[in-house]
Amino acid sequence: MYEVRFHGRGGQGAVMAAQTLAEAAILLGHHAQAFPYFGAERRGAPVRAFARIDDKRISIKSQIYEPDMVVILDESLLEIDPVVDGLTEEGMAVVNTTKSPDELDLGISVRCATVDASSIAMEAIKAPAVNTAMLGAVARMSDLVTLETVKRAIEDRFGEKLGPRAAEANILAAELAFEKTRTGICKADRTIFQKKVWLPTWEELPTGTTVYPEHIDGVAVGPGGSMQNLTGTWRNATPRYLKDKCIRCLRCWFCCPEGCIKRSEDDHVSWDYRYCKGCGICSNVCPVNAIEMTRGVTEW
Amino acid sequence: MVMKVLSADHAVAWAVRRAKAEVIPAFPITPQTLIMELLAEFIADGEMDADLITAESEHSVMSIAVGASAGGVRTFTATASQGLALMHEMLYAAPQNRLPVVMVNVNRSLGAAAGIWVEHNDSMPERESGWLQVYVEDGQEALDMVLQAYRIAEDERVLLPIMVCLDGFILSHTVERVEVPEQEDVDAFLPRFKPAFALDPEDPSTINAIVPPEYAMEMRYQLDRTVERSKMVIKEVDEEFKERFGRGHGGLIDTYKMDDADHALICLGTATSTARAIVDELRSQGRKAGLIKLRFMRPFPHEELREVCSGLRAVGVFDRSIGFNRYGPVFTEVSSSLSGQGLKVTDHIGGLGGRDITLRDMRDIYAIIGSDAEGKEVKRVNWHGLRGVQT
Ligand code: SF4
Ligand code: SF4
């Protein structure tokens, strides 16, 4: 049995990638299954999807903890999610990055394929949906599936859903990625990011479902909420607070979907940028333009 | 037969299309939505001739289903969790009025504590509604069971609604290879629904009138006997299905490596798949482990279970639901079936609220049953994957 775990951001198509890989394997006569992990869903949050491939009927329905291959659709996840968890040195990684395999540092030294799937997706699909480009790289990396079957699976899956033109563009993305994929061995210098997850025993768990502000930084979303899911470096714009302009209406605090704006005693606000995804909603709702969105990842 | 790569939800939609359901009341609720989305697409594209009726709540969905079925047409709907709970009142209308509605419930926990993930605590409480209830393990079984469900439900010896339960996300959203039978083969297996009675404006009648105590007991007894009798029909239908399509699912229960087993787990839903992998592992170590897949909760296969468990030294029951203050509902049912047989039974509760049931959990479950079989001291109720000390 071969197990693949996909890591992406909400919106990048990790689930479709896993399904398409399974379909490609099935076209080759294998058995396969693909399924998503549903967590606190939101655009930009780290998501996981899984695929299993085998020659016999697959009789396991649990998540994948020791993958043979990880496919990382977004390099910035390395800073916020332990994406190589359970991967051994015999495993493989396929990563969307501009780096070559020997420049890439996954924190574990494994056989590795790298491809600039973001640029390829922009070129072929005109959108940052990197999933099909990544499948091209997977086909190049291992003999799990061939480029031909990946193309056919894309045609089936995307063609049926989004029409023949979308299928064509996605097939082109897979082909380009197949050509441009570089293979090698990656470095193991970084310390692998470990999530700090609050996992109380049943005795420690507070009674009921109410979570008080003092428990988790003012974000009363309950156990397992967004507090455990850093969005962090994914944003490409950062809100900057112009305190002098602020009239303390607290609309930004109320509207931020990530709950990363904090309110002080005097009703001024401040930001916890670890959770800010740069959506700009705070800036939009501010009646006096006291929040400006600036490009890139910055903290003030 | 065409091979497709489908999620179990989509496999269900294909079955409903092949069954040519004519009225489909719908209210979207996660993780059932994929079923209704695909059915809506089939209808919009002219590939299916049915009325998809959107309602403002699940209570109305079930009311529409009852009305449509009483009008004599093949009716389908799907729901999950809170949706099923909201239907609760109307659920009771279908069985006593003998209306063969088929409904898929995509199992999901009931809030609070709110969650969208699998748990059987939504469907288990509906065991006493008079609906037949089957739990499936994969996309193929989901598709096949919807087809079989219509045959069972509409059989004149039965005429009862059936709830096909499938695990949310773990199954509803998992894609696998699924064989979709050809339309003509399904037509031959499942001819057009000929209702025993139907509401007809030309010949007015009343259904669901008030029933005074002089009749109610007899009606309940009749229903009780009918649920019992449906066992026979369930077996027959599965056998015929196997003849025609080459796949049977075992009827009321299915077994895996039970011939010489000395201990076994009784399991339902997707946990069965994971259990199978552990049985293989234990067998390769020379251990006599077996697996009993409990497919139907209603009718409950009392005799079948007694028979397959006779000779075992210990048996475990897997519960993805909990009856608060000790045992899960499956355990309670199984224990009442096996009582007097002197068999040691342990309850294994896991996977609540969508907690992943890992190979390790399943290994632990079998280890406890194995120890029980060897006469070692074990806990009667065991939670698996729980953090903290079990008291
Ligand atoms: S940009 Fe503003 S609204 Fe969006 S996540 Fe960041 S702080 Fe919240
Ligand atoms: S919305 Fe603008 S004015 Fe209102 S509190 Fe936020 S920053 Fe200040």
Side-chain angles (χ1 to χ4, degrees):
Chain A
M1 174 133 51
Y2 202 87
E3 298 186 309
V4 185
R5 195 171 65 207
F6 290 79
H7 292 270
R9 299 273 195 179
Q12 284 180 324
V15 176
M16 271 286 251
Q19 291 182 346
T20 311
L21 179 67
E23 177 146 3
I26 287 170
L27 287 170
L28 278 173
H30 301 298
H31 283 267
Q33 60 168 212
F35 54 103
Y37 174 78
F38 283 86
E41 277 172 273
R42 66 214 208 283
R43 205 169 186 84
V47 296
R48 292 173 177 212
F50 310 93
R52 286 196 174 91
I53 299 173
D54 204 352
D55 290 326
K56 18 182 227 306
R57 195 164 159 235
I58 296 167
S59 172
I60 297 182
K61 284 204 168 63
S62 71
Q63 288 162 36
I64 292 169
Y65 300 96
E66 286 165 0
D68 299 293
M69 178 194 277
V70 292
V71 181
I72 302 165
L73 279 66
D74 190 309
E75 193 184 356
S76 74
L77 286 174
L78 291 171
E79 313 294 337
I80 63 163
D81 202 13
V83 290
V84 293
D85 250 12
L87 190 70
T88 63
E89 279 167 22
E90 288 78 56
M92 281 184 222
V94 179
V95 188
N96 171 18
T97 171
T98 51
K99 298 189 182 105
S100 67
D102 52 330
E103 288 163 357
L104 183 71
D105 183 0
L106 288 183
I108 174 171
S109 177
V110 288
R111 276 180 61 209
C112 183
T114 62
V115 64
D116 181 3
S118 299
S119 302
I120 291 172
M122 287 315 286
E123 186 187 333
I125 315 169
K126 317 270 182 283
V130 297
N131 52 0
T132 43
M134 293 305 285
L135 291 177
V138 171
R140 178 67 177 271
M141 179 70 188
S142 82
D143 46 18
L144 213 50
V145 286
T146 61
L147 181 62
E148 259 333 290
T149 49
V150 164
K151 281 160 62 179
R152 265 182 60 203
I154 292 175
E155 202 175 323
D156 285 358
R157 216 135 260 281
F158 288 73
E160 208 165 276
K161 253 197 155 155
L162 307 166
R165 287 197 44 199
E168 247 168 64
N170 278 288
I171 287 173
L172 178 64
E175 281 173 341
L176 288 175
F178 186 84
E179 277 158 32
K180 292 185 177 165
T181 295
R182 291 177 285 179
T183 55
I185 309 273
C186 68
K187 290 192 289 193
D189 294 340
R190 73 159 73 222
T191 28
I192 295 170
F193 177 87
Q194 288 307 330
K195 259 190 181 170
K196 278 201 200 76
V197 191
W198 178 58
L199 291 173
T201 63
W202 71 267
E203 303 99 313
E204 293 161 352
L205 190 72
T207 308
T209 60
T210 308
V211 176
Y212 294 98
E214 59 269 25
H215 281 135
I216 46 169
D217 243 359
V219 186
V221 290
S226 64
M227 286 306 290
Q228 284 166 8
N229 295 295
L230 307 184
T231 317
T233 50
W234 188 59
R235 66 180 182 274
N236 45 31
T238 306
R240 172 188 207 160
Y241 182 42
L242 309 171
K243 194 172 175 182
D244 297 343
K245 282 194 179 179
C246 174
I247 56 166
R248 297 182 273 176
C249 69
L250 293 176
R251 284 196 199 178
C252 57
W253 169 80
F254 189 75
C255 293
C256 170
E258 303 301 298
C260 60
I261 300 176
K262 287 197 252 174
R263 183 179 157 180
S264 54
E265 290 279 310
D266 66 356
D267 280 344
H268 274 106
V269 291
S270 61
W271 268 252
D272 186 342
Y273 288 104
R274 292 172 305 165
Y275 300 102
C276 171
K277 64 183 176 184
C279 64
I281 290 174
C282 53
S283 166
N284 249 312
V285 297
C286 176
V288 294
N289 297 326
I291 303 167
E292 67 181 24
M293 297 303 291
T294 51
R295 285 193 66 117
V297 179
T298 325
E299 290 182 23
W300 283 279
Chain B
M1 203 152 321
V2 232
M3 193 273 290
K4 286 182 176 288
V5 182
L6 297 173
S7 67
D9 267 4
H10 281 179
V12 164
W14 269 98
V16 175
R17 172 174 163 176
R18 287 286 187 258
K20 295 186 176 160
E22 290 172 282
V23 173
I24 304 171
F27 187 87
I29 180 164
T30 300
Q32 165 276 113
T33 33
L34 302 184
I35 300 176
M36 288 303 173
E37 276 168 16
L38 189 57
L39 284 171
E41 246 177 78
F42 287 156
I43 294 167
D45 294 347
E47 290 163 332
M48 209 183 148
D49 183 16
D51 289 315
L52 189 118
I53 304 172
T54 52
E56 93 297 351
S57 79
E58 283 91 347
H59 187 277
S60 304
V61 162
M62 193 36 67
S63 309
I64 295 166
V66 163
S69 190
V73 293
R74 192 166 281 162
T75 307
F76 174 81
T77 192
T79 192
S81 179
Q82 328 279 132
L84 184 65
L86 188 49
M87 281 179 184
H88 177 75
E89 182 194 1
M90 287 314 297
L91 281 184
Y92 283 71
Q96 198 73 78
N97 285 303
R98 310 301 293 272
L99 301 171
V101 178
V102 172
M103 172 162 75
V104 167
N105 180 62
V106 184
N107 284 105
R108 164 186 160 185
S109 64
L110 261 171
I116 54 169
W117 300 275
V118 60
E119 189 176 290
H120 294 164
N121 258 96
D122 57 347
S123 56
M124 285 298 167
E126 304 301 351
R127 299 190 317 282
E128 320 307 9
S129 62
W131 282 63
L132 306 186
Q133 213 180 53
V134 56
Y135 290 77
V136 301
E137 182 187 346
D138 56 29
Q140 189 69 59
E141 194 184 358
L143 184 147
D144 295 350
M145 254 343 273
V146 169
L147 298 177
Q148 289 197 19
Y150 278 109
R151 268 293 296 271
I152 299 161
E154 292 170 5
D155 190 294
E156 50 190 36
R157 292 165 291 173
V158 179
L159 288 176
L160 286 176
I162 302 193
M163 195 183 295
V164 179
C165 297
L166 63 93
D167 289 352
F169 293 115
I170 296 177
L171 187 50
S172 64
H173 286 59
T174 294
V175 306
E176 287 171 296
R177 60 189 284 175
V178 174
E179 282 173 6
V180 180
E182 301 294 348
Q183 187 63 59
E184 65 248 36
D185 296 334
V186 175
D187 289 345
F189 172 73
L190 188 65
R192 225 185 126 79
F193 173 39
K194 282 198 222 70
F197 59 89
L199 289 177
D200 178 3
E202 304 297 319
D203 181 17
S205 55
T206 301
I207 71 158
N208 209 13
I210 197 157
V211 175
E214 294 89 286
Y215 309 100
M217 282 280 284
E218 286 68 21
M219 286 184 79
R220 304 275 190 273
Y221 189 75
Q222 194 187 57
L223 188 57
D224 175 76
R225 292 297 85 201
T226 307
V227 173
E228 178 68 25
R229 190 164 59 228
S230 69
K231 285 180 173 177
M232 182 173 73
V233 179
I234 288 165
K235 286 181 209 160
E236 275 174 31
V237 168
D238 191 58
E239 272 155 29
E240 187 189 330
F241 191 90
K242 190 174 181 179
E243 256 165 50
R244 286 177 184 267
F245 299 99
R247 280 188 305 274
H249 296 283
L252 294 158
I253 58 171
D254 198 12
T255 57
Y256 186 62
K257 309 217 165 150
M258 283 302 293
D259 287 349
D260 62 337
D262 68 8
H263 65 291
L265 178 67
I266 299 174
C267 209
L268 39 75
T270 50
T272 316
S273 310
T274 308
R276 228 169 250 168
I278 296 303
V279 170
D280 288 343
E281 191 179 292
L282 291 168
R283 286 282 170 171
S284 72
Q285 299 159 6
R287 304 223 148 189
K288 292 188 171 170
L291 174 65
I292 300 162
K293 174 176 166 187
L294 182 58
R295 299 188 67 244
F296 278 80
M297 282 301 287
R298 287 292 178 275
F300 195 83
H302 297 288
E303 293 78 22
E304 291 75 4
L305 270 183
R306 284 182 78 85
E307 197 179 311
V308 49
C309 291
S310 76
L312 291 183
R313 293 163 62 194
V315 66
V317 177
F318 175 75
D319 261 296
R320 202 168 199 140
S321 45
I322 165 78
F324 294 104
N325 98 332
R326 183 136 307 170
Y327 306 110
V330 188
F331 176 86
T332 310
E333 302 262 359
V334 168
S335 301
S336 74
S337 281
L338 301 182
S339 70
Q341 234 170 343
L343 185 58
K344 288 183 269 191
V345 192
T346 45
D347 194 8
H348 301 271
I349 293 162
L352 299 185
R355 181 72 54 87
D356 199 23
I357 298 167
T358 62
L359 287 169
R360 214 175 112 191
D361 294 332
M362 211 32 103
R363 214 169 272 136
D364 292 346
I365 292 174
Y366 269 98
I368 293 171
I369 307 169
S371 300
D372 202 15
E374 287 162 19
K376 292 185 190 138
E377 187 72 19
V378 298
K379 272 200 164 74
R380 287 295 121 195
V381 182
N382 304 271
W383 287 54
H384 296 270
L386 178 86
R387 292 186 302 275
V389 183
Q390 293 184 40
T391 51

